[in-house]
Amino acid sequence: MLEEVGMAGAGYAVTRYIYAAPDVSLPAGRCLSRWVGYVAASSDEASRRLGRRDIVVSFRGTVTGSEWVANMMSSLAPARFDPSDPRPDVKVESGFLSLYTSDDGTDRFTCGSCRNQLLSEVTRLLKKYKNEDVSITLAGHSMGSSLALLLGYDLAELGLNRDGRGNRVPVTVYSFAGPRVGNTGFKNRCDELGVKVLRVVNVNDPITKLPGIFLNENSRVLGGRLVPWSCECYAHIGVELALDFFKAGDPACVHDLEAYLGLLKCPKMTKVKKQGEDLFSKVTKYVRGQSLHAAWRWQMAAIQAGDLVQALGI
């Protein structure tokens, strides 16, 4: 695939394509599984340059009607990824959970749910490179960032992010225009497990404010005390790199990936919500000068920014 888009020298090789479909019924019938992303691993040469073997999982944004329906299912549901410790307090948006865990046995491309495909392939690669230093970088745009975060949490919760020597493999999520995915219990657990997240958001992008317009991380405390419904409040995770752009002639650009990438190069419209770190100047150093094919610039930016987040220990 990388060769076909002119990226044969990217330093990564695709090892598996990933397919998924939410368990959502539409008037025209249930949507079959669709291609949602891929798993890739760094080459020997790229690994030597990075100082480790990097496993990348990249997800696209929303395309199908059933995916849009899943995006709007704002009810929370327990993730329960670890059967030995289901953690009922850790809840995620039911539509994203459905897309991640639903199994369409009638589709000729799939071998189980999106989750099973991903866990199987990442585990296989970790076993293959068990004697090397390894990192896991997850990237996505919009809905894809939700899948990336669910996978990052899943790997860490199950303890699958371990190398052959028992050391924890760092997991980094690089999100473009991502919505909230889970409640405060989900956020707290991701923080406990060390899942690192860098969120690139346009402050005018409504998708980044969903779900949880009213019940979110800003409304769970009242008068210095937790409100009774605090466990039902959605919460963003990680460090936010905020962009500020809006083009009146084309409102759709507020969620456009190309617009996000273009604004990463404009310091006047960018603000980093983290004290003590000049994160933007470091991120743009990685992003600037990237003369990549348009369809692949964000994936490569995500890979490099993931390296940055791990290096900073954010």
Side-chain angles (χ1 to χ4, degrees):
M1 181 176 68
L2 293 174
E3 291 180 0
E4 290 295 322
V5 297
M7 289 297 300
Y12 286 76
V14 174
T15 64
R16 181 167 183 170
Y17 298 125
I18 304 300
Y19 299 83
D23 189 14
V24 174
S25 296
L26 296 176
R30 188 174 183 274
C31 180
L32 294 178
S33 297
R34 300 291 182 90
W35 183 93
V36 294
Y38 65 87
V39 183
S42 57
S43 64
D44 292 343
E45 181 180 353
S47 298
R48 284 192 293 270
R49 177 174 55 81
L50 292 170
R52 65 187 183 282
R53 184 75 61 173
D54 191 33
I55 299 172
V56 169
V57 186
S58 179
F59 299 96
R60 63 162 173 80
T62 308
V63 172
T64 68
S66 60
E67 290 169 358
W68 279 112
V69 172
N71 289 351
M72 300 304 167
M73 295 171 62
S74 59
S75 61
L76 286 163
R80 301 185 187 278
F81 288 160
D82 185 356
S84 64
D85 189 0
R87 295 186 176 275
D89 60 312
V90 176
K91 299 180 180 180
V92 296
E93 199 253 25
S94 58
F96 299 145
L97 182 63
S98 173
L99 183 64
Y100 185 62
T101 59
S102 293
D103 184 359
D104 180 11
T106 65
D107 193 274
R108 63 192 179 96
F109 292 114
T110 61
C111 296
S113 65
C114 172
R115 181 195 185 201
N116 288 343
Q117 295 169 60
L118 288 164
L119 295 183
S120 174
E121 182 63 8
V122 173
T123 301
R124 184 186 72 82
L125 291 173
L126 287 173
K127 184 177 181 180
K128 179 178 179 180
Y129 302 117
K130 62 181 180 181
N131 296 321
E132 303 181 26
D133 291 329
V134 182
S135 62
I136 299 174
T137 303
L138 313 176
H141 172 247
S142 190
M143 177 197 74
S145 69
S146 303
L147 292 174
L149 191 50
L150 286 175
L151 174 59
Y153 164 69
D154 202 0
L155 289 168
E157 186 67 90
L158 295 178
L160 298 179
N161 59 325
R162 297 280 175 177
D163 61 19
R165 293 157 289 185
N167 299 319
R168 188 175 70 176
V169 174
V171 177
T172 302
V173 179
Y174 195 76
S175 163
F176 284 95
R180 294 184 180 94
V181 177
N183 67 347
T184 51
F186 178 66
K187 174 192 180 302
N188 294 337
R189 186 55 180 161
C190 284
D191 291 342
E192 290 175 8
L193 293 169
V195 178
K196 308 299 183 182
V197 182
L198 178 62
R199 298 174 47 249
V200 181
V201 302
N202 173 15
V203 295
N204 297 304
D205 185 350
I207 300 300
T208 64
K209 298 173 175 59
L210 298 172
I213 296 178
F214 301 109
L215 296 179
N216 56 51
E217 61 272 8
N218 299 317
S219 59
R220 60 190 296 267
V221 177
L222 184 64
R225 296 183 178 181
L226 288 176
V227 296
W229 59 84
S230 61
C231 61
E232 299 301 317
C233 291
Y234 276 91
H236 276 307
I237 300 175
V239 177
E240 179 179 294
L241 176 62
L243 308 176
D244 188 352
F245 63 94
F246 178 76
K247 183 178 179 182
D250 183 14
C253 83
V254 298
H255 192 61
D256 182 70
L257 187 55
E258 288 297 311
Y260 267 78
L261 293 177
L263 266 294
L264 280 174
K265 299 181 181 181
C266 185
K268 293 182 179 179
M269 295 188 180
T270 309
K271 180 180 179 181
V272 180
K273 290 188 176 179
K274 180 174 175 66
Q275 296 180 350
E277 293 285 359
D278 183 13
L279 184 58
F280 172 75
S281 62
K282 294 181 174 64
V283 171
T284 51
K285 184 184 298 182
Y286 279 86
V287 176
R288 279 195 183 118
Q290 296 296 321
S291 57
L292 304 179
H293 189 281
W296 288 92
R297 286 188 296 170
W298 77 274
Q299 285 96 332
M300 296 308 295
I303 292 169
Q304 295 176 351
D307 297 339
L308 167 66
V309 174
Q310 291 174 3
L312 291 177
I314 298 174

